[in-house]
């Protein structure tokens, strides 16, 4: 959680031209109505000039760099990948089939060994809806507040948050067991698994299963408890 107490998912992509020739190409970020469990309905996607996406009335994605093209689609338009490099600036889509999608396009030119970064921030769908029932347009006061909020979130730097994140996990892992072996990659994997294991611990439950069936994974919860005991996480 950054300083404004909003939970954010940071995504940073580094693209490097490792060839000996300049490269000109497009890079795409897609929004599709799916999650790891399967279909995840999306009724409406709207792009705002503040480089953000409103999905089903919630501020959901913020681009740190302005896209060169945005296309929002209904289910009957087909998959977003079918329209890469074809369609331009469709800033809104409302889908009666609840399967809206979208893509943001970045047109890049990289010299040999040049690297560029594209990043965005995603907001979990826990914020209140921007529009009330039957409301068609945002009031001016709400629009101003939304633009201010978006600017604040865009100002949060990935590297700073990553440093804070690593510092937090260093403290959290300090009481637990450590391994020191010549294979540093394997050692790092072990540390990442300790973090991964702790991410499934809620206030009152352990959630090793899917997003929705959190209380039915008794066998997996028992395995997680056993693993926590073995790494010295008795309090957890």
């Amino acid at each position: 959680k950054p300083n404004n107490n909003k939970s954010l998912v940071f995504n940073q992509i580094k693209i490097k031209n490792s060839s000996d020739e300049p490269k000109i190409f497009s890079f795409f970020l897609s929004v599709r109505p799916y999650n790891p469990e399967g279909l995840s309905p999306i009724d409406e996607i709207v792009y705002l000039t503040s480089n953000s996406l409103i999905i089903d009335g919630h501020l959901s994605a913020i681009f740190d760099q302005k896209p060169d093209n945005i296309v929002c689609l209904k289910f009957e338009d087909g998959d977003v990948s079918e329209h890469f490099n074809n369609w331009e600036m469709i800033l809104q889509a409302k889908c009666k089939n609840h399967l809206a999608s979208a893509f943001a396009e970045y047109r890049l030119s990289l010299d040999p060994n040049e690297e560029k970064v594209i990043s965005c921030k995603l907001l979990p769908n826990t914020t209140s809806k921007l529009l009330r029932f039957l409301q068609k347009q945002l009031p001016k006061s709400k629009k101003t507040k939304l633009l201010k909020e978006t600017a604040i979130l865009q100002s949060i730097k990935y590297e700073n948050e990553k440093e804070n994140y690593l510092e937090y996990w260093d403290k959290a892992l300090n009481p637990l067991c450590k391994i020191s072996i010549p294979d540093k990659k394997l050692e790092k994997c072990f540390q990442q698994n300790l973090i991964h294991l702790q991410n499934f611990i809620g206030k009152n439950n352990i959630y090793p299963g899917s997003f929705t069936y959190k209380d039915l994974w008794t066998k997996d919860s028992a395995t997680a408890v056993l693993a926590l005991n073995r790494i010295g996480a008795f309090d957890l």
Side-chain angles (χ1 to χ4, degrees):
K1 287 189 176 183
N3 294 332
N4 64 358
N5 289 323
K6 277 194 180 299
S7 294
L8 292 175
V9 176
F10 290 78
N11 189 16
Q12 185 185 78
I13 303 104
K14 291 183 178 180
I15 304 170
K16 184 177 181 178
N17 179 7
S18 56
S19 74
D20 297 328
E21 299 177 355
K23 298 289 182 184
I24 298 174
F25 59 96
S26 284
F27 175 83
F28 299 91
L29 291 173
S30 299
V31 176
R32 286 186 166 98
Y34 311 104
N35 65 26
E37 291 185 333
L39 288 173
S40 182
I42 298 178
D43 293 330
E44 185 176 28
I45 302 178
V46 179
Y47 175 73
L48 302 181
T49 52
S50 55
N51 301 337
S52 57
L53 286 177
I54 307 297
I55 300 177
D56 287 345
H58 298 272
L59 178 62
S60 299
I62 297 170
F63 305 110
D64 294 325
Q65 300 82 23
K66 186 176 180 63
D68 296 297
N69 185 23
I70 289 283
V71 172
C72 301
L73 303 171
K74 302 185 290 293
F75 173 71
E76 52 263 37
D77 295 325
D79 187 73
V80 289
S81 63
E82 298 171 8
H83 304 292
F84 290 165
N85 304 311
N86 293 326
W87 289 5
E88 296 273 336
M89 303 307 287
I90 303 173
L91 305 183
Q92 184 172 2
K94 193 164 188 174
C95 181
K96 62 182 180 182
N97 297 296
H98 317 293
L99 295 170
S101 58
F103 68 77
E105 177 184 5
Y106 291 89
R107 293 163 185 160
L108 302 176
S109 175
L110 293 181
D111 291 327
N113 293 314
E114 184 182 3
E115 182 179 273
K116 286 189 178 176
V117 172
I118 292 172
S119 58
C120 64
K121 302 175 181 87
L122 309 177
L123 286 82
N125 197 11
T126 52
T127 55
S128 57
K129 274 200 168 188
L130 295 171
L131 293 174
R132 292 180 181 174
F133 184 62
L134 295 180
Q135 192 178 12
K136 297 294 183 185
Q137 204 167 14
L138 269 180
K140 188 176 179 182
S141 59
K142 266 198 170 184
K143 192 177 289 185
T144 303
K145 185 180 177 183
L146 178 62
L147 290 173
K148 185 178 179 181
E149 180 184 351
T150 304
I152 290 171
L153 293 173
Q154 282 172 331
S155 70
I156 300 170
K157 302 301 180 188
Y158 172 88
E159 295 299 338
N160 294 344
E161 292 304 314
K162 183 180 178 182
E163 194 173 311
N164 293 338
Y165 172 85
L166 292 174
E167 186 179 326
Y168 167 83
W169 278 111
D170 278 345
K171 290 179 181 176
L173 297 178
N174 193 47
L176 305 181
C177 67
K178 297 180 176 65
I179 61 171
S180 181
I181 54 178
D183 189 334
K184 294 304 172 186
K185 188 175 180 180
L186 195 58
E187 189 177 308
K188 186 178 179 181
C189 284
F190 180 74
Q191 291 296 101
Q192 288 172 340
N193 271 278
L194 295 185
I195 294 171
H196 183 70
L197 182 62
Q198 291 191 70
N199 278 331
F200 287 98
I201 302 170
K203 188 174 181 181
N204 300 308
N205 295 293
I206 293 174
Y207 304 129
S210 66
F211 297 152
T212 48
Y213 298 103
K214 293 180 177 177
D215 297 322
L216 302 178
W217 294 79
T218 307
K219 180 181 176 183
D220 297 299
S221 294
T223 304
V225 170
L226 180 63
L228 287 166
N229 279 325
R230 286 185 172 175
I231 61 173
F234 306 113
D235 291 342
L236 292 173

